[in-house]
Amino acid sequence: MTKPRLVYFDAPVSRGEECRLALHLAGIDFEDVRIKGADWPALKDETPYGALPVLELPGRPPLAHSNAILVMIGRMHRLHPEDAFEAARHEGMMQHVEDLRAVVGPTIRMAEPEKKSVREKLVESYLPSWARFAEKNIPGAPFFAGAKVNVVDLKLHMAVRWFIGGKVDYIPAAIFADYPKLMRVHDAVRDHAGVKAWYSK
Ligand SMILES: N[C@@H](CCC(=O)N[C@@H](CS)C(=O)NCC(=O)O)C(=O)O
């Protein structure tokens, strides 16, 4: 291996996509390895924790867990605060996104009518509550910490983008519309020149 490899599923979503965006914004030339669903069972046990994304760096063991990957890239490439307390605040929000995924993620594999019923309950209480707490803890504008993008913004962007396309059954596309700070971070990342460059490749 001569250059970093980011291994994730073949989709521009979630934990893998936020790591790809971070690597791209960091200016790192990396191999974007996309695993087909059918090939995953054979690979699962080869990964550190049985899940993706995994970042492979030349001369290092594979690194797993999206937040660990993001924080490491962020620290090395000025996409995460140097100050320990500020960094921890960013990491707290990154964990908040992981909490959301831990709650909503399992509904993807639910069959009907359980999926409908569980998601409708999430729309009533968990999702507005999650957004309210996110909103309360975003100090800056347009990005989380102000004028400059950080890895936390990429993670928040992916979380909002999951729903606002209206492609998640039973979850309205406008679920986060009443949370202006959250939407502002989403929009600022969407409109960031480096992010646009990634999607125009
Ligand atoms: N805590 C891990 C969670 C990783 C995770 O659950 N990844 C999902 C895809 S987003 C996965 O690998 N699913 C397939 C499986 O668990 O077999 C992280 O943040 O990267």
Side-chain angles (χ1 to χ4, degrees):
M1 196 203 319
T2 54
K3 63 181 183 183
R5 285 163 41 100
L6 193 278
V7 185
Y8 191 64
F9 298 104
D10 189 11
V13 298
S14 194
R15 298 172 175 112
E17 187 72 353
E18 67 209 17
C19 292
R20 291 179 186 129
L21 283 175
L23 287 162
H24 175 72
L25 293 193
I28 298 171
D29 178 25
F30 69 102
E31 194 182 335
D32 185 2
V33 182
R34 294 177 180 240
I35 304 297
K36 301 285 180 208
D39 298 330
W40 171 237
L43 279 173
K44 187 175 169 80
D45 282 354
E46 307 290 312
T47 67
Y49 295 98
L52 298 175
V54 169
L55 178 65
E56 298 173 1
L57 297 175
R60 299 278 196 180
L63 181 66
H65 287 305
S66 53
N67 285 351
I69 294 170
L70 289 170
V71 166
M72 192 203 63
I73 297 167
R75 283 211 178 108
M76 292 172 75
H77 298 275
R78 299 184 167 274
L79 293 167
H80 198 59
E82 280 179 25
D83 178 83
F85 183 79
E86 279 309 310
R89 285 177 88 196
H90 287 223
E91 287 153 28
M93 182 60 81
M94 292 165 76
Q95 182 58 48
H96 192 51
V97 172
E98 282 303 310
D99 291 352
L100 171 76
R101 288 176 177 158
V103 171
V104 183
T107 69
I108 293 167
R109 284 173 294 281
M110 282 177 189
E112 302 290 1
E114 188 191 13
K115 179 183 276 187
K116 178 172 192 292
S117 142
V118 170
R119 285 191 176 164
E120 283 175 352
K121 285 196 188 87
L122 293 178
V123 168
E124 261 172 45
S125 59
Y126 178 79
L127 288 169
S129 163
W130 181 89
R132 196 159 35 80
F133 283 113
E135 192 80 357
K136 177 177 153 179
N137 285 287
I138 296 174
F143 296 107
F144 181 87
K148 187 184 146 307
V149 70
N150 284 289
V151 290
V152 66
D153 298 296
L154 305 179
K155 194 143 189 127
L156 279 168
H157 171 81
M158 293 313 304
V160 173
R161 207 180 85 179
W162 189 7
F163 303 110
I164 67 169
K167 289 189 179 144
V168 185
D169 290 344
Y170 315 115
I171 301 185
I175 186 77
F176 295 145
D178 292 339
Y179 303 92
K181 294 183 188 172
L182 200 49
M183 291 309 301
R184 195 159 50 216
V185 170
H186 167 273
D187 293 355
V189 171
R190 179 197 61 199
D191 298 340
H192 186 278
V195 172
K196 282 182 164 173
W198 172 251
Y199 288 112
S200 66
K201 279 205 314 178

